């Protein structure tokens, strides 16, 4: 996070997929680092059953003082978090231990502002324009009311990002990833090891690609690739045969995700 310049003082929510070490053991270090940097804002942690006990155990046994409140929510499926601009949904994954996959869904944004329409209606440029852009009606000096829909285009859809965590393929995931702008899917083993993947509660590149295709996702990023693959291009090729718009995740990968067209 330091190298990525993400910042430790911002409003932050952490969503844990499941209680395996490779997915939760970073938390103690993160909490301590945030405290050393004197974070003050509340930190929200969401996760499956067990996450509360884990965070409590950290704060009771590791000798450091938290400088900020931590709010832990043990959640089940469906809408788990709602903010002004976005919502987070969860669905059960299909792994060795109870887990959750998450979808971050932005709410629709107000339509495009048409200055020529505002001018034609006699709305003076300035604060009244900003109010209309923000979706509120305004009253003109001559008493007429102008409503936002008179000067705005239709609402524009937000973006949707889905993160699977560790999982075998499942119908739940296809539903969660419906029309996602970005699907970040695990692909632990390559297609030749499909049986092993299934035994261990994981997916292969073809399975991830099938989910992306069935869901109508726009882009697929493969992650959680087993350390046995020094070169993961084999896995990338296997996925691209089914879903061409696939990339491999790597540390510090940045993806520019444009707003979908209305
Ligand atoms: Zn796992
Ligand atoms: Zn894992």
């Amino acid at each position: 996070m330091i190298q990525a310049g993400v910042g430790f003082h911002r409003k932050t929510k952490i969503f844990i997929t499941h209680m395996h070490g490779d997915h939760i053991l970073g938390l103690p270090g993160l909490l301590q680092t945030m405290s050393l940097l004197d974070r003050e804002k509340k930190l929200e942690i969401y996760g499956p059953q067990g996450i509360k006990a884990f965070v409590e155990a950290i704060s009771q046994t590791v000798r450091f003082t938290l400088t900020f409140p931590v709010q832990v929510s043990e959640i089940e499926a469906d809408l788990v978090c709602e903010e002004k601009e976005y919502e987070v949904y969860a669905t059960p994954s299909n792994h060795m231990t109870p887990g959750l996959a998450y979808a971050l869904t932005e709410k629709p944004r107000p339509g495009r502002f048409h200055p020529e329409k505002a001018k034609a209606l006699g709305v003076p440029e300035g604060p009244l324009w900003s109010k209309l852009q923000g979706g509120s009606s305004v009253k003109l000096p001559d008493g007429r009311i102008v409503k936002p829909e008179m000067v705005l285009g239709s609402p524009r859809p937000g973006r949707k990002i889905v993160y699977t965590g560790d999982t075998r393929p499942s119908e739940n995931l296809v539903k969660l990833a419906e029309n996602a702008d970005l699907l970040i899917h695990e692909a632990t083993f390559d297609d030749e090891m499909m049986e092993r993947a299934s035994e261990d509660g994981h997916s292969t590149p073809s399975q991830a690609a099938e989910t992306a295709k069935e869901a109508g996702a726009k882009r697929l990023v493969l992650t959680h690739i087993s350390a046995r693959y020094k070169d993961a291009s084999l896995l990338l090729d296997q996925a691209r045969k089914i879903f061409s718009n696939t990339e491999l995740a790597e540390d510090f990968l940045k993806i520019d995700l444009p707003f979908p067209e209305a």
Side-chain angles (χ1 to χ4, degrees):
M1 284 176 70
I2 292 168
Q3 288 180 34
V6 172
F8 290 92
H9 299 281
R10 298 181 188 177
K11 180 174 179 180
T12 303
K13 293 172 193 275
I14 297 173
F15 293 86
I16 299 292
T17 56
H18 63 294
M19 300 299 292
H20 276 160
D22 54 325
H23 297 261
I24 52 168
L25 292 179
L27 265 182
L30 180 61
L31 295 179
Q32 170 132 26
T33 301
M34 284 177 160
S35 285
L36 288 173
L37 294 171
D38 292 322
R39 180 186 172 93
E40 287 175 4
K41 271 199 191 98
K42 178 175 78 177
L43 177 73
E44 292 169 65
I45 301 174
Y46 298 79
Q49 208 193 358
I51 188 66
K52 252 190 188 148
F54 179 66
V55 174
E56 265 161 34
I58 298 168
S59 40
Q60 281 166 18
T61 54
V62 184
R63 292 284 143 210
F64 67 97
T65 310
L66 277 175
T67 58
F68 52 92
V70 178
Q71 182 188 311
V72 187
S73 310
E74 283 187 352
I75 51 172
E76 288 175 21
D78 223 6
L79 178 65
V80 294
C81 161
E82 177 162 22
E83 288 279 329
K84 193 166 153 256
E85 290 167 336
Y86 64 87
E87 291 170 337
V88 178
Y89 290 86
T91 198
S93 54
N94 181 357
H95 192 40
M96 307 299 280
T97 182
L100 296 161
Y102 293 104
L104 172 73
T105 308
E106 285 179 319
K107 291 183 180 173
R109 296 164 300 138
R112 231 177 277 282
F113 179 68
H114 294 286
E116 72 286 357
K117 288 189 183 167
K119 275 185 198 151
L121 288 164
V123 187
E125 197 171 340
L128 292 184
W129 281 27
S130 321
K131 268 190 110 176
L132 285 164
Q133 276 169 314
S136 312
S137 300
V138 299
K139 195 173 179 184
L140 300 185
D142 62 11
R144 281 182 300 131
I145 304 283
V146 176
K147 292 182 180 165
E149 57 265 30
M150 295 160 78
V151 295
L152 297 182
S154 44
R156 292 171 288 174
R159 292 163 295 187
K160 180 176 180 181
I161 300 172
V162 174
Y163 184 83
T164 64
D166 293 3
T167 187
R168 301 180 186 95
S170 91
E171 271 309 305
N172 279 344
L173 290 174
V174 175
K175 263 184 233 145
L176 187 75
E178 197 175 21
N179 296 322
D181 297 277
L182 175 64
L183 171 61
I184 305 163
H185 199 300
E186 75 120 290
T188 308
F189 298 107
D190 79 280
D191 287 346
E192 303 300 313
M193 298 185 71
M194 202 168 280
E195 216 166 287
R196 168 77 189 277
S198 177
E199 273 166 25
D200 290 3
H202 290 297
S203 297
T204 69
S206 294
Q207 291 172 326
E210 286 290 354
T211 297
K213 195 175 154 185
E214 266 184 66
K218 297 195 184 84
R219 290 172 81 158
L220 171 65
V221 170
L222 301 179
T223 188
H224 201 274
I225 287 156
S226 162
R228 74 180 59 227
Y229 303 105
K230 295 285 164 279
D231 171 11
S233 56
L234 166 73
L235 286 86
L236 184 60
D237 292 343
Q238 291 174 347
R240 279 185 174 164
K241 276 188 193 133
I242 292 162
F243 191 84
S244 60
N245 203 2
T246 305
E247 292 163 76
L248 289 174
E250 59 182 42
D251 290 345
F252 307 113
L253 174 67
K254 278 189 183 172
I255 292 181
D256 196 15
L257 212 57
F259 284 105
E261 289 304 314

